[in-house]
Amino acid sequence: MRLRLAVLLACALPLTAAAAPAPVTPVIALGSVIPAPVQVHQSGPGFRITDRTVIIAPPRARDVADRLGEALRLRVAGHSSGRTGNIALELSRAITEPEGYRLTVNRSGITVRAASNAGLFNGVQTLQQLVPLTGPRTVAGGEIVDHPRFGYRGTMLDLARHFHTPAEVKRHIDEISKFKVNYLHLHLSDDQGWRIQIDSWPRLTTVGGGPGTGVDGVGPGYLTKADYRDLVRYAASRYVTIVPEIDMPGHVNAAQVAYPELTCDGVAPPPRTDTAVGYSSLCIGHENTYGFVEDVIRELAAMTPGPYIHIGGDEAHATTAADYLTFQKRVLPLVAKYGKTAYGWNEIAAAPEARTAVAQYWGLTTTNATLAAAVANGTRVIMSPANLAYIDQKYDPSTPLGLSWAGYIEVRKAYDWDPHTHVAGVPESAVLGVEAPLWSETLRDLDDIEFMAFPRLAGIAELGWSPSRDWESYRTRLGAYGPRWTARGVDFYRSPQIDWS
């Protein structure tokens, strides 16, 4: 009888015991963000964001505050009510780095201080990564002091091989700005299509951006000037600067289809929708060529507030070496004539006129004597080595999208290199920054863009921002970031090198 009673009591215990406590959402460590901050001091109690929390900001920083308020679903006020429990954005002369910020968290509130709105925006990106996706929105106590390693932290999107709509480009801007990427290079012309309206040469878009253009003939479309200006404004509101590129003297077949007078014999070439390169060239000896080039540069410069106009210059295999130098001698100064800094692929370094230009290194080797000589003469460099930074390359042989001519680029390979020391003869002082180009030969929609860009772009953004790299730390932080992409519907590549949360 006693044994039966004991058994009955034992069976009843699970029914009468107190319910198990709900799991506690862990507070995210201050240093667990991407890109890694310069200094992190975690200490003291944190701050819990509630529905009563208010974002306080001066009128000059209202755009940053409004964006944070939208992200966190909080009210924004123009001045402090005097009570604690706020998130304060402050412009401060004590911060000396233009894009730097100081993020302070204690039980009374959160303060982001910066010298400029760009710095506040960067601090806000860090803060958003510290707010848990679920459960109590408690931010760990302490302080982050942060600023970028390079002033130029970019990516490129190819609209020429396949046109991507303004809505797709805007969505991409939203994502890249979360990692403090501050330049978006748009590749606007190539053999397969011309994607930007030029009033003085209207057939560039009506023909070069019309039906049947793009790789396989499935990528038609172009940006009107209104579209382009709207993208520039949208990017600027996320502290991203647009860099437009018109590739020349090669990669010009689409322009020559539209305007046969840009060829040496006046005969229009057939449209091209394949992926071959190196077969087209502007006619270097014709004065009409330079009228065309100047018109394009003038109109682009007029609608581009950013400092750079990219003039391409790569893979000009159909242009002789002498003609190439003649072309650059005429064209590089035209960019300065219209108030911009000339920017081109590293082949432009062969021209003496490139001493005031920026050369984008895309080579596969760590030595380039021509580039090193140009740097010694004043040329500055953006690092984009194709075998490390080209995020259109496949992750591995099974990747359904992308190319592989520069090799497979898994997540660690894209992260584990140093832009400052990559090319012999190019010292740290000559490197302006780093860029991850995304070519569109195999891309068709936003999901394709996101799959190839993420997570690799996050790592290259860290190379551009953080003072040093640590793969084990990065792979842990990247794995923890995965649910944020999932929550936003980003179709990212789930690399087997990462333990995704």
Side-chain angles (χ1 to χ4, degrees):
M1 182 71 179
R2 189 174 297 166
L3 179 60
R4 181 184 296 174
L5 181 61
V7 171
L8 289 172
L9 287 172
C11 292
L13 278 175
L15 300 177
T16 59
V24 177
T25 302
V27 175
I28 300 169
L30 288 184
S32 297
V33 298
I34 302 171
V38 174
Q39 296 179 34
V40 177
H41 308 283
Q42 187 156 325
S43 62
F47 176 73
R48 182 171 176 179
I49 299 171
T50 70
D51 293 341
R52 298 181 61 192
T53 302
V54 176
I55 299 169
I56 306 299
R60 284 173 51 202
R62 184 63 186 248
D63 67 319
V64 181
D66 286 344
R67 205 159 305 288
L68 179 62
E70 181 182 350
L72 298 183
R73 302 182 303 281
L74 297 176
R75 184 169 68 87
V76 177
H79 59 84
S80 174
S81 64
R83 64 179 176 82
T84 59
N86 294 330
I87 298 173
L89 307 185
E90 299 180 0
L91 292 167
S92 171
R93 294 181 180 178
I95 309 297
T96 57
E97 293 282 348
E99 290 188 274
Y101 66 92
R102 185 184 297 264
L103 172 64
T104 306
V105 185
N106 55 43
R107 66 164 50 129
S108 298
I110 298 172
T111 303
V112 182
R113 295 182 178 89
S116 67
N117 281 12
L120 288 178
F121 183 83
N122 290 329
V124 161
Q125 303 319 301
T126 295
L127 173 58
Q128 288 183 61
Q129 290 189 41
L130 295 171
V131 178
L133 283 175
T134 59
R137 299 196 293 177
T138 300
V139 180
E143 187 170 71
I144 292 174
V145 179
D146 204 9
H147 56 83
R149 180 188 189 192
F150 294 114
Y152 188 107
R153 306 172 305 279
T155 186
M156 188 209 81
L157 186 59
D158 174 13
L159 273 61
R161 268 59 174 272
H162 186 89
F163 182 69
H164 302 292
T165 66
E168 290 173 327
V169 178
K170 287 179 178 179
R171 170 65 184 260
H172 195 51
I173 290 169
D174 288 341
E175 288 301 321
I176 68 175
S177 65
K178 294 182 187 302
F179 299 107
K180 307 180 179 71
V181 170
N182 64 345
Y183 281 89
L184 176 60
H185 167 183
L186 294 179
H187 185 75
L188 295 171
S189 71
D190 215 298
D191 292 311
Q192 300 86 354
W194 185 285
R195 309 303 184 187
I196 183 69
Q197 177 185 351
I198 301 297
D199 291 338
S200 51
W201 298 77
R203 286 174 57 82
L204 290 173
T205 45
T206 58
V207 175
T213 59
V215 170
D216 298 330
V218 295
Y222 63 90
L223 298 175
T224 67
K225 286 190 170 183
D227 291 334
Y228 179 80
R229 290 190 176 103
D230 182 55
L231 281 179
V232 167
R233 286 191 295 267
Y234 189 89
S237 72
R238 276 87 175 152
Y239 296 88
V240 174
T241 298
I242 297 293
V243 178
E245 179 193 352
I246 300 298
D247 208 347
M248 50 189 168
H251 292 277
V252 292
N253 198 76
Q256 292 175 327
V257 172
Y259 287 99
E261 59 265 40
L262 296 176
T263 67
C264 288
D265 60 7
V267 177
R272 295 289 290 260
T273 61
D274 57 6
T275 60
V277 299
Y279 52 82
S280 64
S281 176
L282 291 171
C283 193
I284 307 305
H286 282 192
E287 200 58 31
N288 189 48
T289 292
Y290 302 101
F292 164 75
V293 170
E294 183 164 3
D295 284 342
V296 170
I297 290 173
R298 172 177 48 80
E299 293 194 35
L300 265 184
M303 57 180 166
T304 301
Y308 301 115
I309 297 291
H310 200 301
I311 59 168
D314 63 320
E315 297 176 322
H317 307 318
T319 311
T320 67
D323 278 352
Y324 187 87
L325 294 178
T326 297
F327 180 83
Q328 297 300 344
K329 184 176 182 178
R330 292 284 301 269
V331 171
L332 285 166
L334 285 176
V335 180
K337 177 179 177 179
Y338 291 100
K340 303 298 179 182
T341 297
Y343 185 178
W345 300 104
N346 59 256
E347 286 92 334
I348 70 167
E353 293 73 22
R355 62 185 177 276
T356 59
V358 175
Q360 185 168 6
Y361 183 69
W362 65 281
L364 301 178
T365 67
T366 57
T367 58
N368 187 297
T370 301
L371 182 63
V375 164
N377 199 34
T379 303
R380 294 164 297 168
V381 180
I382 299 296
M383 286 294 173
S384 301
N387 55 336
L388 299 168
Y390 269 36
I391 53 176
D392 64 300
Q393 299 298 292
K394 291 175 177 285
Y395 292 95
D396 61 30
S398 67
T399 307
L401 301 171
L403 306 175
S404 59
W405 61 265
Y408 302 114
I409 305 178
E410 247 290 359
V411 173
R412 181 168 187 173
K413 187 177 180 182
Y415 178 81
D416 211 5
W417 62 284
D418 187 351
H420 264 163
T421 61
H422 185 69
V423 178
V426 179
E428 180 177 323
S429 59
V431 179
L432 293 180
V434 61
E435 181 179 292
L438 179 56
W439 303 95
S440 292
E441 286 95 334
T442 67
L443 308 187
R444 295 294 178 266
D445 55 27
L446 181 63
D447 283 346
D448 292 349
I449 292 171
E450 292 177 344
F451 183 81
M452 298 304 286
F454 304 113
R456 290 181 292 194
L457 184 55
I460 292 172
E462 179 153 306
L463 292 182
W465 181 277
S466 304
S468 60
R469 66 190 187 282
D470 181 333
W471 166 250
E472 289 303 324
S473 166
Y474 173 68
R475 68 185 296 271
T476 298
R477 288 179 283 119
L478 185 60
Y481 192 90
R484 296 181 184 272
W485 275 321
T486 299
R488 295 196 299 271
V490 175
D491 185 21
F492 69 99
Y493 167 67
R494 288 161 175 79
S495 169
Q497 296 182 339
I498 308 300
D499 297 327
W500 300 101
S501 298

